[in-house]
Amino acid sequence: MLSDCFSRIGEGVAELVAPTRCAGCERQGAVFCERCRLQAAADYHPLTACPRCGGPYGALTCTECWDTEFSFQACCALGLLDGPLSRAVVLLKDGGEQRLATVLGQLLAARIKRMWGDWADAVCWVPASRAAIRRRGFDHAALLADRVAQCLGVPAHPALQRVRSTELRGLGKAERAQVTRGFHAARRVHGNIVLIDDVFTSGATAQAATDALLLAGAAAVRIAVLARTW
Ligand SMILES: [Zn+2]
Ligand SMILES: [Zn+2]
């Protein structure tokens, strides 16, 4: 196809003018190089991590979440919010490097498959705030969720919306009852949902978004994030 040919020429010219550099280490070549992937994997072991909150050393007893009730079933992370992965998350969110959504989405989907097999019926995401979407020009979480869903072979549902307290006035009684701490599920969902977010810190955001999805009909929710703070 002629358009494909022009597109490849365009990519070649762009690569000459501004060569692709790794988000983690700035070496020329890949958008997130093999070396940085290996480092992120070495820093975080999913089998020794807490299955509830993704804390890195909580497989048996987790000091992070032992006294916390979560309404989501589980949490898995690609790695710690540190080193190359941390830089990649920042570059995806604030640097506008959307190619990272594909690379990190593939890695996260592989982690989800390894941890949970074919458990997911659909993927949802924690939407960025409207101000952040205006500033960045895109919702990085939506992009990431789209790539994860593609790899898992399930649909990505734009179910969640952020709702400011001033907007509650505009909602009917039934809708108002479904707004949980800043999130509203704008449509019904079914089955097992993997909820995608960029970073898991205390779990408060994941918890609020999970509650909205459960109210909207989800059977169960599990959280998958790029990075876990520690
Ligand atoms: Zn690198
Ligand atoms: Zn935990």
Side-chain angles (χ1 to χ4, degrees):
M1 294 279 285
L2 200 59
S3 60
D4 285 351
C5 185
F6 280 126
S7 158
R8 277 198 296 276
I9 292 169
E11 282 168 18
V13 170
E15 201 56 36
L16 278 174
V17 175
T20 298
R21 290 187 183 279
C22 171
C25 66
E26 297 202 346
R27 281 188 187 84
Q28 204 171 312
V31 74
F32 194 57
C33 77
E34 190 61 25
R35 203 169 149 142
C36 285
R37 291 180 198 202
L38 289 173
Q39 189 182 329
D43 290 344
Y44 183 84
H45 301 278
L47 296 181
T48 56
C50 171
R52 295 182 70 229
C53 77
Y57 310 110
L60 296 177
T61 309
C62 183
T63 53
E64 289 282 290
C65 74
W66 66 273
D67 59 349
T68 310
E69 287 289 325
F70 294 128
S71 51
F72 49 85
Q73 280 187 344
C75 172
C76 81
L78 196 53
L80 294 180
L81 189 67
D82 194 22
L85 185 59
S86 170
R87 291 190 285 276
V89 171
V90 170
L91 207 61
L92 168 64
K93 286 173 68 170
D94 297 320
E97 180 46 274
Q98 298 187 28
R99 289 177 297 175
L100 278 168
T102 300
V103 175
L104 297 176
Q106 286 167 349
L107 293 172
L108 187 55
R111 173 63 46 86
I112 292 167
K113 272 264 186 203
R114 183 175 165 205
M115 300 296 289
W116 303 330
D118 292 329
W119 180 84
D121 295 310
V123 167
C124 293
W125 64 91
V126 175
S129 69
R130 267 169 269 192
I133 294 172
R134 267 199 306 276
R135 192 172 64 246
R136 296 176 186 138
F138 69 104
D139 186 342
H140 65 287
L143 212 55
L144 190 64
D146 187 58
R147 303 301 187 271
V148 169
Q150 264 178 23
C151 294
L152 294 180
V154 298
H157 290 315
L160 290 172
Q161 293 177 344
R162 282 190 188 259
V163 180
R164 286 179 288 219
S165 53
T166 50
E167 293 169 329
L168 288 176
R169 283 188 295 252
L171 295 177
K173 198 175 170 187
E175 285 175 306
R176 216 176 152 113
Q178 295 205 348
V179 174
T180 358
R181 283 159 290 148
F183 290 101
H184 170 237
R187 60 174 70 186
R188 299 290 296 167
V189 290
H190 305 281
N192 295 331
I193 306 289
V194 169
L195 178 63
I196 304 290
D197 202 0
D198 50 7
V199 175
F200 186 109
T201 304
S202 69
T205 303
Q207 178 75 45
T210 295
D211 289 344
L213 288 173
L214 291 173
L215 275 170
V221 178
R222 295 181 181 179
I223 312 298
V225 294
L226 291 179
R228 178 74 166 83
T229 58
W230 188 247

